Amino acid sequence: MSDVSVDRHFTKVLNGISVSVNKRDFDPSHFAQMDGIKRVWPVRYYYPASTPSAASNSSSLYLHHATGVEKALKELGVDGKGIKIGIVDSGVDYNHPELGACWKTEGCPWQYGEDFIGDKYNEADPIPIIEPNPTPMDCAGHGTHVSGILAGRGPQVRGVAPGATFGMYRVFSCPINGEGGSSDDILLQAIEAAFEDGHDIINLSLGGGAWSEEPIAVACAQIVQQGVVVVAALGNDGVGGLQTGSAPAIARGVISVGSVDNWNVTSKPGIITGAQGTQKIALSMPGDSKYPFDFDLDTPLAIPAGGEDSIVGCANYTEDMSGKIVVVRRGGCTFNDKALYAYTAGAIGVICYNNVAGDMSPAVSNSVPIPFVGISDDDGKYVTDTLAAGKATVKAPKGAREISPSKTGGQISLFSSIGPSAELDMVPLISAPGGNIWSTFPQKLGSYASLSGTSMATPYISGTVALLKQARPDLDVGAITRLLVSNGKPITHPATGLKTTPFMSGAGLVNIYDAIKSRVQFDPPVLSLNDSKISHIQGYSKLESLGNVRWAARTISIHNTDSKKSLHLSLSNAAANSLSMILANGSFSYTPRTWPADASSVSEDTLPQVYSPNAEKTIGPGKSCTVTVFIVAPKGLKDLESWYYGGFINFTLQWDGEKTTSTQVVSYGGYNGDSTIQDVLSPPSDGLPALVDTVTGEPVNDLSTLVIGNNATKAVLFGLSIPSRLVEIMLVDAATDKSAGYTLQGYNEYLARTCPECSVPYVGVPLTKTVFTDSKLTNVTQVPAGKYYVRIRALRPFGDTSVDSDYQVWDSGEFAIA
């Protein structure tokens, strides 16, 4: 094929190639018909999983104390020495004094790595420029920040595993050239290089997609099978609710990581002056010094005119904001959109206040040249009340910084993506500090910065794995995962009093000291229950009195690794919150509803229950046993409200001759209902699906005047409230109600969740008179003139692609094709 060029070969972690096509109308699906080709993927893009933070921590002491890192360093003397960690990221400022100030010299922590992308790459270009540099120097900041969490040597940043040896594999370019994304073929090349260099751990603070079938997920699963620990960020789309985790974190065997907020935070003080007097509020600190929120003089504040709909700042302003800092509320559109609308109106900065309780971590790209910061909902109310009473100003002196305790320290970060996976597997597996983390940054960008994200929690976990491998070098990948997860500390939800659901926290906050000292292994360390049918419990006669309930039985293998002492154990249940995205009135909400709102308001026997016929066991030295547990879903929850429930099986452990006991956990989670009947498309309240004009961006409301030709100026937009294995978009002949064929980009496999504030807010497909008459999109034709409508078919969970009733279907109104 003269129009096809091979870009990269993959032989270690994936047997494949990436190719470029020079001919515009070449159909890549032709590859699928060639001998030896098992599967074809389009190149997709991935992004770092971090955001500029609302706060920072200039001391790692308490953070390391809460996770057992400090204790492991002091009492056990482990610092990662002898362990190799490969970081796939935006590069590193290896000249930073807290990161060794060296590159591949004797005694330097940076002995491996290379640049795979260069400084000119822009994923929006038709043919992105790839010109790798001699070394992976960071010009974005993300990789240097991640590196500090692992390798920081003080005094400001103390890494988790500063004694380890590191490699940096640069896959993200300078963000000024775009949004800072990278393609999966570049990522695969870097991951393969890290694997070939013999790293014990590969850190991936990035994500995209939602299925284990993604090429990067397939590659990572292969790496795990070959004995390398892969740690990956679950993602920062928690604002979108359930099932927002990304690949490769959702790949089998990968340690997926959620984020908790830091305990000590630093904010930039903002001085608000108005009719109510003067008050100091806490402003977020942008993660890039390119557009700092520095205003040494009182600068006027303003709110977009137009009332409640305008306060979110998601439309063109009706007034001139020149010389003013705009105050807007979170929600309605992306932070980048808010910044762009404000900038277009002449604003010189934006303050965005949270629409839920607590601080926030806004993120905008460098393409909008004004500073954008966030404040809490309480501070937002004060600012808006001040403006309602008259004029107000803000002053934010350059270099000012204040440290204070965080109101949400130790709690799951609001941005942290929520499980389960698209296939209902439990994610994340474990959580670590990732909200409001102070770490190293490129010296050209300020040397230090505060960032939030599962990107920050991920290197923390990679560091703890290094400590565990150093202390116990005999452990394989499976054992490392089991010890890390079962020694997590479940997090108590501040509002309900129950444990935070493992779909948000995994096993809870990591405790590496307990993992190193553990003398028992639980396999599996998590129980993914999926959904289950309602029936009488079988296999445990004492539970027959429960009647018809939704239940599941699982077996846990327990191995006592103490070669001299018998282990006595007993188990109990700690129920967690249940989550649903269906409100009591039947409407859909991206912010999950929590049940119970208050644990004291419900009877304990209505919560998830765990029973076992062998709840107490004695296991001899070096011996193993199995325990069968029967898990019963909560009582009284409506199946059609799509509740996800879970909890923790607490194992109380005591060895012969020892007075003290310890506790380890196995988390569990399931779906309360029949997952196969869930709606897939986003709710009508989102205004989707819709036909839109791609020139104006406005919906086409009057389809009677719409005429489609071969100019791609119209498109159909749709969203997904849950991931879908297959979404088909086709043109249907209105006269016969028969499909004329798939539209351009009309056959989509393995699609992720969308939401207005998620990484992917919606999916857009162009509409022309060109269609394909086969699912491989190889037979192209032009439909004759006439009346047509668009049909979207979205496959429900675990559906059969050949069964019509397994799809949710949406039809547009009729329009003309010329």
Side-chain angles (χ1 to χ4, degrees), residues 469-651:
K469 284 186 69 68
Q470 180 188 3
R472 301 178 63 172
D474 57 313
L475 298 175
D476 61 20
V477 174
I480 288 170
T481 302
R482 290 191 290 272
L483 288 174
L484 199 69
V485 173
S486 66
N487 283 280
K489 307 305 175 187
I491 299 166
T492 300
H493 193 283
T496 69
L498 295 177
K499 298 302 180 185
T500 297
T501 172
F503 290 123
M504 297 179 74
S505 70
L509 181 64
V510 65
N511 189 295
I512 191 56
Y513 180 86
D514 286 354
I516 292 172
K517 300 293 288 185
S518 175
R519 289 173 284 170
V520 61
Q521 290 189 31
F522 296 88
D523 189 14
V526 299
L527 302 176
S528 297
L529 307 179
N530 302 323
D531 56 13
S532 52
K533 307 302 179 185
I534 296 177
S535 66
H536 278 77
I537 295 178
Q538 300 175 359
Y540 192 10
S541 59
K542 290 185 178 180
L543 300 182
E544 291 179 357
S545 61
L546 295 178
N548 284 324
V549 293
R550 193 176 297 282
W551 65 282
R554 295 290 188 271
T555 298
I556 304 169
S557 175
I558 307 171
H559 178 54
N560 176 14
T561 60
D562 192 314
S563 61
K564 297 180 179 180
K565 296 181 179 181
S566 292
L567 166 64
H568 308 279
L569 64 81
S570 60
L571 67 85
S572 60
N573 176 49
N577 302 317
S578 296
L579 298 179
S580 171
M581 296 174 69
I582 308 297
L583 301 180
N585 62 8
S587 63
F588 184 91
S589 170
Y590 287 106
T591 301
R593 177 162 60 124
T594 300
W595 181 87
D598 180 358
S600 64
S601 65
V602 299
S603 173
E604 186 175 344
D605 62 6
T606 64
L607 300 172
Q609 299 294 314
V610 176
Y611 305 92
S612 177
N614 43 14
E616 297 185 1
K617 284 275 191 177
T618 296
I619 309 173
K623 301 297 183 180
S624 300
C625 76
T626 59
V627 171
T628 299
V629 293
F630 294 82
I631 301 173
V632 179
K635 296 179 182 178
L637 297 181
K638 298 177 182 179
D639 285 5
L640 293 179
E641 290 183 344
S642 300
W643 288 96
Y644 289 83
Y645 67 93
F648 303 87
I649 303 172
N650 294 325
F651 288 89

Side-chain angles (χ1 to χ4, degrees), residues 260-271:
V260 302
D261 282 347
N262 207 344
W263 291 265
N264 295 323
V265 301
T266 303
S267 60
K268 184 179 183 69
I271 312 301

